[in-house]
């Protein structure tokens, strides 16, 4: 009696039809064009809006006029938003592939909590008051928690479930520590209140230069992991059959996500939702191939972050809402709608 053999697993990196690849490439170019427009809006719009000619003049012919000075100040804010948005989007996409959970984000593995705990410790124990000081403490805290989650999750034997459980447990403990310190120390509460909501308002050239090497290294590593993460996303057995090194890929993915999220959180504070929603939305029109998800996430996440920053400056003039508040207010309902539509489509 003959028994049909099971079909061979299809590699996650199988080439897409030429027409689909062309459509994806065109969409990526269109996304980049939208990002340029949003970046220009970020420079032009604020407590006092500037016409396009003044923005152009301030970018390329700085003569010290009022408009040129405003452009210089907003340029650092826009550049940091571009870098942080791309970092959070890439980190979210990598973590969703690593944990095989489409709802995963950098907060799932405790990275945001580690950065926040390090900052409140710096304020309370070491008297650090400047953003320049926060950056290094936040990055070290994120890196330490990333390493601890990897160790508790089983190191090279780590599984998505173990990593998620370890991250959740560490996050709960660190947020308890944060609440205790801020309740007992009024000064820490006052300084942390602004940082913990996430903001681009304090962006400076110095901050960008400090985090830029980490962001660049993390982005390169994340993009380089697209093919092995495609294999890991198919499951452990299939990944082994395809020749993927599970331990090495997971370790590098954890490193990339920790570096990206740690550097972005250090510079801007823990901005939520960007790393969760954008990769999830991107996957709906690119499919599961991370060779397309990662570039799209790197381009569209800054669109969301800078767009939310512009909205925060417009709705509360002459003051402003921090970008972390706006991303949560905008992103939450949109994400719920997307999830409901996807569930309805599956029924």
């Amino acid at each position: 009696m003959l028994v049909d053999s099971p079909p061979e697993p299809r590699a996650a990196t199988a080439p897409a039809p030429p027409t689909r690849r062309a459509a994806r490439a065109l969409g990526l170019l269109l996304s980049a064009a939208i990002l340029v427009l949003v970046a220009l809006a970020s420079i032009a719009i604020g407590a006092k809006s500037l016409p396009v000619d003044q923005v152009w003049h301030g970018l390329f012919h700085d003569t010290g006029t009022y408009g040129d000075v405003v452009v210089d100040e907003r340029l650092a804010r826009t550049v940091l938003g571009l870098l942080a948005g791309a970092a959070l989007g890439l980190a979210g996409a990598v973590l969703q592939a690593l944990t095989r959970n489409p709802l995963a984000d950098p907060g799932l593995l405790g990275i945001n909590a580690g950065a926040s705990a390090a900052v409140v410790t710096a304020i309370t124990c070491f008297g650090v008051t400047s953003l320049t000081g926060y950056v290094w403490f936040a990055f070290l805290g994120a890196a330490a928690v990333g390493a601890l989650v990897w160790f508790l999750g089983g190191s090279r034997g780590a599984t998505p479930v173990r990593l998620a459980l370890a991250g959740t447990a560490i996050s709960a403990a660190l947020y308890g520590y944060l609440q205790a310190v801020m309740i007992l120390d009024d000064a820490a509460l006052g300084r942390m209140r602004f940082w913990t909501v996430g903001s681009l308002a304090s962006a400076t050239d110095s901050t960008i230069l400090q985090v830029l090497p980490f962001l660049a290294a993390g982005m390169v590593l994340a993009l380089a992991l697209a093919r092995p993460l495609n294999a890991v996303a198919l499951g452990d057995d299939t990944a082994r059959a395809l020749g993927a090194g599970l331990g090495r890929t997971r370790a590098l993915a954890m490193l990339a996500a920790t570096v990206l999220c740690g550097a972005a959180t250090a510079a801007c504070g823990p901005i939520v939702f960007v790393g969760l929603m954008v990769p999830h939305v991107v996957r709906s029109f690119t499919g599961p191939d991370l060779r397309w998800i990662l570039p799209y996430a790197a381009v569209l996440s800054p669109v969301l972050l800078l767009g939310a920053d512009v909205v925060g400056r417009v709705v509360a003039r002459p003051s402003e809402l921090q970008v972390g508040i706006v991303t949560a207010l905008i992103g939450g309902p949109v994400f719920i709608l997307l999830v409901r539509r996807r569930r309805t489509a599956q029924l």
Side-chain angles (χ1 to χ4, degrees):
M1 178 177 179
L2 297 177
V3 179
D4 292 335
S5 59
E8 294 183 359
R10 190 181 68 176
T13 55
T19 53
R20 189 172 185 182
R21 290 201 302 270
R24 287 169 172 173
L26 182 61
L28 192 58
L29 289 175
L30 179 61
S31 299
I34 294 172
L35 177 58
V36 171
L37 294 177
V38 173
L40 290 174
S42 175
I43 297 174
I45 300 173
K48 179 176 175 58
S49 297
L50 299 175
V52 175
D53 61 330
Q54 283 195 28
V55 173
W56 184 267
H57 192 278
L59 288 173
F60 299 103
H61 308 284
D62 190 352
T63 56
T65 63
Y66 173 79
D68 296 344
V69 171
V70 171
V71 169
D72 287 343
E73 292 177 351
R74 293 180 185 170
L75 184 59
R77 182 172 184 159
T78 301
V79 170
L80 183 59
L82 287 168
L83 293 173
L88 292 172
L90 285 172
V94 167
L95 288 176
Q96 287 174 14
L98 176 65
T99 61
R100 298 200 290 271
N101 180 358
L103 300 180
D105 74 333
L108 180 68
L109 298 185
I111 298 173
N112 287 346
S116 300
V119 170
V120 78
T121 301
I123 292 171
T124 304
C125 301
F126 302 105
V128 177
T129 58
S130 67
L131 181 63
T132 303
Y134 292 166
V135 166
W136 293 106
F137 278 94
F139 184 77
L140 290 174
V145 169
L148 182 59
V149 168
W150 177 246
F151 174 76
L152 293 178
S155 300
R156 288 191 173 272
T159 64
V161 173
R162 287 181 180 178
L163 291 173
L165 289 175
T168 301
I170 292 173
S171 293
L174 289 177
Y175 280 125
Y177 165 75
L178 281 171
Q179 296 300 319
V181 171
M182 288 192 290
I183 288 173
L184 296 174
D185 189 334
D186 292 338
L189 175 60
R191 295 185 188 125
M192 281 292 293
R193 184 170 50 191
F194 178 78
W195 186 84
T196 53
V197 297
S199 174
L200 300 175
S202 300
T204 63
D205 294 340
S206 175
T207 303
I208 294 171
L209 291 175
Q210 287 183 65
V211 299
L212 182 59
F214 301 103
L215 292 174
M219 289 178 188
V220 170
L221 179 57
L223 292 170
L225 288 171
R227 190 179 293 273
L229 280 174
N230 271 338
V232 171
L234 295 175
D236 291 3
D237 293 337
T238 304
R240 291 191 187 96
L242 294 172
L246 288 175
R248 181 180 67 255
T249 300
R250 284 175 175 153
L252 292 175
M254 274 291 298
L255 177 62
T258 299
V259 170
L260 287 170
C261 185
T265 303
C268 310
I271 297 174
V272 298
F273 209 81
V274 175
L276 170 63
M277 184 180 77
V278 175
H280 188 78
V281 173
V282 164
R283 194 179 296 105
S284 67
F285 57 83
T286 64
D289 192 344
L290 283 158
R291 294 174 299 177
W292 288 103
I293 292 175
L294 292 175
Y296 266 99
V299 173
L300 291 179
S301 294
V303 171
L304 174 61
L305 188 60
L306 289 176
D309 190 43
V310 171
V311 170
R313 282 183 262 172
V314 171
V315 298
R317 284 177 174 171
S319 184
E320 67 177 70
L321 287 177
Q322 280 70 37
V323 66
I325 297 174
V326 180
T327 57
L329 291 175
I330 294 177
V334 172
F335 185 69
I336 291 172
L337 178 62
L338 289 170
V339 171
R340 287 181 61 85
R341 282 184 175 178
R342 183 176 180 181
R343 183 178 179 183
T344 302
Q346 292 175 344
L347 293 179

